[in-house]
Each structure stands twice: as C-alpha cells, then as structure tokens.
Amino acid sequence: MSVEEHVYDRRRLHQWLAGQARAEGVSRRDLLRLATAAGVVAAAGTLPRPAAAADTPPPPGIVKPLPPELFTVRGTNAETNWSALRGTGYLTPVDRFFVRNHTSTPVLDADSWSLKLWGSGLRGGPGLDRPVEFGYRDLRRLPSVTVDSFVECAGNGRSYYTTQQGDTVSGTAWTLGAIGQARWRGVRLAEVLRLAGARPHTVDLQPRGLDDEWVSGGANLGHVRRPLPYAKALDDVVLAYEMNGRPLPYDHGFPVRVVVPDWVGIANIKWVGDIEVSAEPLYSPWNTDFYRLFGAAYPPGGSDPLTRQTVKSAFEFQDGAAFTAGRSHRLTGRSWSGAGGIRRVEVSTDAGATWRPARLHDEPRPHAWSRWSADWHPTAAGPTALLARATDTAGRRQPDSSTPNDQGYLFGAVVHHPVTVLAAS
Ligand SMILES: Nc1nc2c(c(=O)[nH]1)N[C@H]1C(S)=C(S)[C@@H](COP(=O)(O)O)O[C@H]1N2
Ligand SMILES: [Mo]
C-alpha cells in the first residue's frame, strides 16, 4: 500500500469510527481489527463508538450495541435489564450480558497476544524466576474444560441499600442486573501453573488486565489486578477463551479472561496479559481499599477480602411494571448463590405479608442460577410490591435486610419491587 493510501485509510477508519462512513457487508469486528492494526484504535486504548445523536450522553467505551430495551448504561458500565431476560434460556445471551469496565474495552489481537507468568513462586529460585509465556494457540492446544458459571459484580443490588434501607453507600447504582450466566470454555489455571513450574509454596497469584490504567480520585492505581489465593486457583479457576460456544466477545475479555466461579466479579480479570505467581502475599487496591467491607459493623481495616457472592433473586420485569387485575400473570425470575445451588424460592405478591413457593425449573447447580415461576391473579387495583426469597443448598436464606457497608457490596436482602395493578377494563 502506498503511503498516501495508508494515510487515506487511517482517515477512512477514523470516519467509520465516528459514524461518518458506511460499511455495508463488512462486519464491525473486521473493521475494528483494521482500525486496531492501523493504530486508529490503540491496541489497549479507548474505543470510540459511532457518533450518536447529539442529545444522547457520551457513550461508554463498550464495543457491543447497548439498546435501551436491553441495557441501562451507568457510566462506563452497562446493566442488563431483567425484563430482557424473560424467555431467554439458561445462559445469558451475549447481546444482553452486563458489562463492568473500569475504563473501556480494549480491542486486542489474539495472534500478537500472550500470557506471561512470572514471579517468586516459579521454579528457579530468586533471580532465576524466568517468565513463561503462552500464546493464544498454545492455550487452545491444551486440554479444555467447560464450566457454567455466573459472573456477578460485588456491587450488584447496591442501590437497594439506599432505596430500601436508607443507607449511604458509594459506587455504581446497580439494581439487580450486574449478573450474567455463561458457559465458559478454556484451560484450567492449575494446568497452566503446572506447565509454568509453579512451586508448592506459592501463596498468591495476581492476574492483570491489558485495559487502560485506572485513575480514581486523582491517583493512578495502575492496571486492574487482584490477588487470588493459590488454593482457589488450583481448585476451579479457568482461563476462558470461549463464552457460550463462541470466542470471547471484546467486552467480556477477548482473547482470554479469568473465570473464578462463585466469587465476586472483580476476581474474573478480563483481557488478562500476565499473572504474577508469588511466594509472598500480594496486595493491590482491589484487595485493600476495594472489595472489603468497611463501616460501623466492621473492623477499622475492613473485613477480609471478599470472596463468595450472596444469595439473590430477581424477577424478569422492570420495577414499576403494570399488571391488569382479573387476569392471571405468570411471574418469572431467577435466583442464585455463591455458596451452592438454589433449593427453594418463595414469592410474595402482597409486599411480604404472605409467601408461597415458586416452581423451580432448574435443578440446584453450584455457581449457577435456577429459573422459577409463580402464577399471580391480582384482584384489586392499586400499588403493591412483589418479593422473591431464595434458600441455597448450604441453607442460607435471603434476609429481610443487609448489614450496610460503605461501598455497598454484597447486598443480599429480599428486594421489594413496586408494581401497579391496573383495574380490569
Ligand atoms: N481487566 C479488567 N477485568 C475486569 C474488570 C475491568 O474493569 N478490567 N472489571 C471487573 C469487574 S468489577 C466485574 S464485575 C467483571 C465484569 O465482567 P463482564 O464485564 O464480563 O460482565 O469483570 C471484572 N474484570
Ligand atoms: Mo464488579
């Protein structure tokens, strides 16, 4: 390609990114690849989206479309609307899987990507701890495993601390849509650690993302990274390259992400570029200042770093939904827990005065939700609240309220969903 063509091509790609070029018959993915190769989109940089109407807020750095019927955009994140899950199957379709980005989605190239393992936990002794690298194809050639697991943000349900309990908390005001369940395929992290020569006295691992460094409160906290105990890594952690039978989408960690079943979403590092393997305990802002519980009910240094998610339930409609009196309505929803499968779900259609069991449509399975339904025949018009309450196989039942913490993590109480019953016409 001549120099002039090169310059022109870059301008053309810029225009495409700005929504000023047409590209019928060419996939967005292919154009993004071109833009990345041309340096129009930095390999791990901010990803512009096609220009939106002038009156819409600036879109976050998320690649996939975020139609308002599927998502509620919150800053750099996109929350799944629960109404959009009604009728979908056991797995959350990628087009409606929530996105939680500290900065923005990097568009990486699998062929030039590699995963580097390094640190004092690798064989060779101090100073001799040579990094070990795996390419995308190397990982693809190793024995694969498949796991159905939800990824849920530790802050899922956070807004209910405020709206339901009057607590002041900081962070993204999620309702209950910061969860999705996918079928992940990849390589066991234990296998990669074995090949890399991890020593038995390894204490912590620290996977780190290739997305931009995160600046918070004026401080650059570096790349997103969080220590992971070696024992958990050996147990069930997966380096995933497929989601629901397809290569990982850009927004969910392409080419490879960490999947840590049952644990807080932050453990599931996307776009992983390296993993420190350490014989000493590791710290990052993500296991010190964040992802511990702080507040009146906790010690001054906070709780231990967060691990398992709580038990939660959600209905597949949006708060404020309207139902017509004198008709039968099938209420549907899902419940999940980070400590086992779901054994029982109860529903209340009178703001918690009375409860009845819901029908469970899935067997209890660890780190996966169960779908359920209950029929409701409202007779009186007016406002009411619908509630769902789950019990997991470890015997944990959702409480009436959650002990607050400053950053609003791990909400687990029963949520009151206001709805309106309309008079029969
Ligand atoms: N590299 C990187 N990994 C990350 C994050 C991030 O911003 N950067 N966000 C984390 C958080 S807080 C959550 S809840 C999950 C969200 O995963 P999803 O966007 O695929 O739904 O990714 C985690 N992994
Ligand atoms: Mo999160």
Side-chain angles (χ1 to χ4, degrees), residues 40-77:
V40 171
V41 178
T46 306
L47 187 86
R49 286 168 55 80
D55 55 347
T56 58
I62 293 175
V63 174
K64 67 184 175 187
L66 304 173
E69 46 312 347
L70 302 187
F71 291 104
T72 301
V73 174
R74 303 191 188 281
T76 55
N77 317 294

Side-chain angles (χ1 to χ4, degrees), residues 29-51:
R29 189 189 168 95
D30 286 344
L31 276 166
L32 283 168
R33 264 191 203 295
L34 286 178
T36 308
V40 171
V41 178
T46 306
L47 187 86
R49 286 168 55 80

Side-chain angles (χ1 to χ4, degrees), residues 86 315 317 323 329-333 347 349 372-374 376 386:
R86 192 173 167 106
F315 287 94
F317 59 70
F323 297 83
H329 301 274
R330 175 144 303 173
L331 304 173
T332 61
V347 165
T349 51
W372 45 260
S373 67
W376 180 37
L386 303 187

Side-chain angles (χ1 to χ4, degrees), residues 100-334:
R100 184 340 185 192
N101 281 351
H102 281 70
T103 58
S104 61
T105 294
V107 176
L108 303 179
D109 169 39
D111 293 329
S112 54
W113 173 89
S114 72
L115 174 67
K116 187 197 283 182
L117 281 86
W118 57 281
S120 59
L122 294 187
R123 205 164 287 139
L128 296 173
D129 45 354
R130 273 186 298 124
V132 182
E133 281 197 52
F134 297 84
Y136 186 67
R137 280 162 218 273
D138 299 333
L139 288 188
R140 283 269 189 180
R141 271 195 292 269
L142 293 175
S144 72
V145 290
T146 299
V147 60
D148 288 351
S149 169
F150 61 74
V151 169
E152 182 187 18
C153 189
N156 196 26
R158 175 182 284 129
S159 66
Y160 297 108
Y161 276 114
T162 306
T163 57
Q164 201 162 292
Q165 304 188 171
D167 304 322
T168 303
V169 296
S170 64
T172 302
W174 303 110
T175 56
L176 286 172
I179 179 169
Q181 176 156 313
R183 178 156 300 160
W184 308 98
R185 182 163 163 262
V187 187
R188 292 190 62 207
L189 179 52
E191 173 74 1
V192 171
L193 288 167
R194 188 181 66 77
L195 293 170
R199 296 188 290 181
H201 62 276
T202 296
V203 175
D204 271 335
L205 307 178
Q206 184 159 254
R208 180 161 55 170
L210 290 165
D211 42 338
D212 281 347
E213 296 180 337
W214 189 50
V215 176
S216 169
N220 184 342
L221 302 180
H223 291 287
V224 176
R225 63 197 186 283
R226 185 177 197 251
L228 175 70
Y230 187 51
K232 176 69 174 173
L234 292 184
D235 182 21
D236 60 358
V237 175
V238 174
L239 291 171
Y241 45 69
E242 273 185 15
M243 180 178 185
N244 296 351
R246 310 267 309 141
L248 283 187
Y250 288 126
D251 296 311
H252 300 290
F254 182 83
V256 174
R257 86 177 298 169
V258 182
V259 171
V260 183
D262 294 322
W263 282 29
V264 285
I266 185 63
N268 301 257
I269 296 294
K270 302 191 277 190
W271 315 293
V272 59
D274 72 295
I275 301 179
E276 180 174 358
V277 182
S278 176
E280 298 81 40
L282 297 176
Y283 292 96
S284 88
W286 288 267
N287 73 340
T288 54
D289 295 342
F290 306 113
Y291 302 102
R292 289 179 189 247
L293 307 178
F294 294 94
Y298 300 97
S303 69
D304 287 339
L306 302 183
T307 57
R308 290 178 190 279
Q309 289 285 8
T310 53
V311 191
K312 288 195 194 68
S313 301
F315 287 94
E316 294 169 341
F317 59 70
Q318 292 303 106
D319 285 352
F323 297 83
T324 307
R327 280 214 242 141
S328 197
H329 301 274
R330 175 144 303 173
L331 304 173
T332 61
R334 303 171 195 234

